[in-house]
């Protein structure tokens, strides 16, 4: 039987771990082939030389802990993608979807970070239910701690969870994976601290009766023929 495939689209290395690390580990443990496509890289002149390579190495180490099958790095310039060609952003992501034909796609919520908004827009294009996108049964947005909750309520979109994944068993893997990001890890009480990640998982879990959870906002979900529930 063919293993089901999941695509996680990350604006930057670490966003996928912050928003969906526990879910990635759970999917991998349940036999899914999980691919992470990271769009942006912190390259000069906006960032010092060597930063992009360091963070990519950190991401690969984190992905190994989570069971990611393939880590793709598209290398578009961070904080510049919204000013560049739409085709330059959408094209490489479309190629990934066309090749992978995923059943599940996890994409960034359009929050405070301009790159997140641009990548969200591209994600909505490449996951349309046509062509390779027709294989998708579920498309959902993840929250990125330190960015998603800084949107201005009423003036900007607000993250509204509508799907929750129990990560009680995989939260340790998520925390271990984020420890790999020495360049991004912050001390408590900063939002990218291990305590902040653990606290958010506990809070999201408390909303649905689980010890720990990750929450997503559904874009669309299609039940298999002959069933009203996802198999």
């Amino acid at each position: 039987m063919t293993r089901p495939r999941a695509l996680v689209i990350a604006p930057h290395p670490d966003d996928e771990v912050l928003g969906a690390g526990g879910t990635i580990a759970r999917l991998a443990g349940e036999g899914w082939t999980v691919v992470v496509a990271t769009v942006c890289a912190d390259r000069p002149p906006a960032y010092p030389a060597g930063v992009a390579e360091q963070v990519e190495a950190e991401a690969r180490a984190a992905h190994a802990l989570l069971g990611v099958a393939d880590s793709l790095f598209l290398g578009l310039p961070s904080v510049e993608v919204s000013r560049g060609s739409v085709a330059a952003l959408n094209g490489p992501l479309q190629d990934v979807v066309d090749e992978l034909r995923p059943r599940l796609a996890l994409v960034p919520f359009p929050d405070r970070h301009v790159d997140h908004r641009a990548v969200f827009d591209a994600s909505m294009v490449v996951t349309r239910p046509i062509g390779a996108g027709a294989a998708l049964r579920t498309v959902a947005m993840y929250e990125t701690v330190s960015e998603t909750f800084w949107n201005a309520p009423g003036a900007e979109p607000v993250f509204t969870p509508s799907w929750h994944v129990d990560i009680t068993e995989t939260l340790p893997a998520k925390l271990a994976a984020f420890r790999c990001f020495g360049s991004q890890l912050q001390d408590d009480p900063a939002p990218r601290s291990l305590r902040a990640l653990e606290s958010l998982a506990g809070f999201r879990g408390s909303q649905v009766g689980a010890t720990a959870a990750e929450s997503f906002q559904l874009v669309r979900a299609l039940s298999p023929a002959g069933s009203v529930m996802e198999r």
Side-chain angles (χ1 to χ4, degrees), residues 126 142 145 150 153 215-216:
V126 304
Y142 56 83
V145 63
W150 282 337
S215 297
F216 303 87

Side-chain angles (χ1 to χ4, degrees), residues 207-222:
Q207 294 179 302
V208 291
T211 300
E214 285 174 336
S215 297
F216 303 87
Q217 185 170 335
L218 285 171
V219 174
R220 68 175 187 274
L222 174 66

Side-chain angles (χ1 to χ4, degrees), residues 154-229:
E156 299 176 293
V158 176
F159 182 76
T160 306
S162 51
W163 177 41
H164 308 268
V165 176
D166 189 330
I167 63 164
T168 302
E169 299 299 323
T170 57
L171 178 58
K174 172 175 180 164
L175 297 177
F178 195 64
R179 285 191 194 95
C180 294
F181 288 97
S183 64
Q184 308 299 314
L185 184 63
Q186 298 172 326
D187 294 329
D188 185 44
R192 294 194 176 201
S193 66
L194 294 176
R195 190 180 76 88
L197 293 184
E198 191 166 12
S199 296
L200 179 60
F203 171 66
R204 291 305 190 194
S206 74
Q207 294 179 302
V208 291
T211 300
E214 285 174 336
S215 297
F216 303 87
Q217 185 170 335
L218 285 171
V219 174
R220 68 175 187 274
L222 174 66
S223 296
S227 172
V228 295
M229 299 297 291

Side-chain angles (χ1 to χ4, degrees), residues 2-187:
T2 303
R3 288 161 58 100
R5 295 179 291 274
L7 173 63
V8 184
I9 299 176
H12 313 97
D14 82 352
D15 290 331
E16 74 288 356
V17 177
L18 292 169
T23 301
I24 291 170
R26 179 167 174 178
L27 288 167
E30 293 178 358
W32 287 66
T33 296
V34 183
V35 174
V36 176
T38 304
V39 174
C40 300
D42 296 346
R43 301 196 180 281
Y47 297 87
V51 170
E53 291 75 15
Q54 176 186 354
V55 182
E56 179 176 326
E58 293 171 346
R60 290 187 183 278
H63 293 175
L65 291 178
L66 296 176
V68 172
D70 198 5
S71 304
L72 309 176
F73 296 89
L74 305 186
L76 278 67
S78 295
V79 304
E80 296 291 336
V81 290
S82 63
R83 299 189 225 177
S85 161
V86 171
L89 174 56
N90 292 7
L93 280 177
Q94 187 66 65
D95 290 342
V96 173
V97 173
D98 289 347
E99 181 175 352
L100 186 64
R101 300 184 70 86
R103 195 168 92 182
L104 166 67
L106 302 179
V107 306
F109 181 81
D111 58 34
R112 171 55 27 218
H113 200 301
V114 64
D115 289 347
H116 294 195
R117 298 182 185 206
V119 174
F120 163 79
D121 287 340
S123 298
M124 291 300 94
V125 172
V126 304
T127 61
R128 291 174 297 180
I130 56 175
L136 281 162
R137 293 207 179 274
T138 304
V139 180
M141 299 173 285
Y142 56 83
E143 58 183 333
T144 306
V145 63
S146 81
E147 299 291 352
T148 301
F149 53 67
W150 282 337
N151 276 22
E156 299 176 293
V158 176
F159 182 76
T160 306
S162 51
W163 177 41
H164 308 268
V165 176
D166 189 330
I167 63 164
T168 302
E169 299 299 323
T170 57
L171 178 58
K174 172 175 180 164
L175 297 177
F178 195 64
R179 285 191 194 95
C180 294
F181 288 97
S183 64
Q184 308 299 314
L185 184 63
Q186 298 172 326
D187 294 329

